[in-house]
């Protein structure tokens, strides 16, 4: 299943680690530092608007079907992740994921 973020952007629901509200999450200096470091590393996508929320997502590799499970990697490398800044509020995004989950359970 995919979560539609608007403007033709989709994220695989299984790859989403969390949905965070910008107003409450960026109160912490740790979160602000996390976002700025990842922006410098080129891991941040945006829909071009003033963001109201952000999604933390696992980056899938070619042929990687079990992205959420930990795999042993050479040199102890961790899975890569990305951040998507969204103009939609975290409650809207969370409601969309709940709708997707309910749709699966009804089938």
């Amino acid at each position: 299943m995919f979560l539609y973020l608007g403007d033709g952007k989709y994220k695989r629901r299984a790859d989403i680690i969390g949905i965070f509200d910008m107003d409450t999450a960026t109160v912490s200096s740790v979160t602000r530092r996390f976002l700025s470091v990842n922006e410098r590393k080129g891991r941040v996508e945006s829909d071009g608007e003033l963001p109201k929320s952000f999604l933390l997502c696992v980056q899938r590799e070619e042929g990687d079907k079990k992205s959420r499970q930990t795999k042993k990697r050479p040199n102890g490398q961790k899975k890569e992740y990305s951040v998507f800044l969204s103009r939609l509020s975290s409650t809207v995004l969370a409601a969309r994921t709940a709708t997707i989950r309910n749709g699966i359970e009804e089938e």
Side-chain angles (χ1 to χ4, degrees):
M1 284 289 167
F2 291 88
L3 174 63
Y4 179 64
L5 303 171
D7 296 333
K9 302 227 183 218
Y10 296 88
K11 289 290 180 187
R12 186 179 299 269
R13 189 179 62 84
D15 294 345
I16 297 173
I17 297 169
I19 300 171
F20 305 91
D21 184 64
M22 288 293 277
D23 290 335
T24 57
T26 56
V27 170
S28 170
S29 63
V30 174
T31 306
R32 289 193 307 268
R33 187 173 44 232
F34 170 80
L35 291 171
S36 65
V37 165
N38 283 294
E39 189 172 16
R40 278 184 258 138
K41 290 182 178 182
R43 293 181 179 163
V44 176
E45 289 181 67
S46 177
D47 62 6
E49 299 283 330
L50 183 63
K52 292 182 182 176
S53 61
F54 69 94
L55 287 86
L56 182 60
C57 305
V58 172
Q59 285 289 101
R60 282 188 176 261
E61 295 177 356
E62 292 278 329
D64 184 7
K65 295 186 182 197
K66 298 179 181 176
S67 64
R68 295 202 120 206
Q69 293 181 356
T70 56
K71 295 191 321 188
K72 291 187 179 180
R73 293 176 168 229
N75 302 329
Q77 294 174 330
K78 295 180 182 177
K79 279 208 168 280
E80 292 293 317
Y81 54 89
S82 64
V83 177
F84 182 81
L85 302 176
S86 176
R87 65 186 165 141
L88 299 174
S89 70
S90 59
T91 54
V92 169
L93 292 171
R96 286 184 179 183
T97 57
T99 302
I100 290 171
R101 286 186 187 130
N102 291 339
I104 292 171
E105 291 170 3
E106 291 173 2
E107 292 178 357

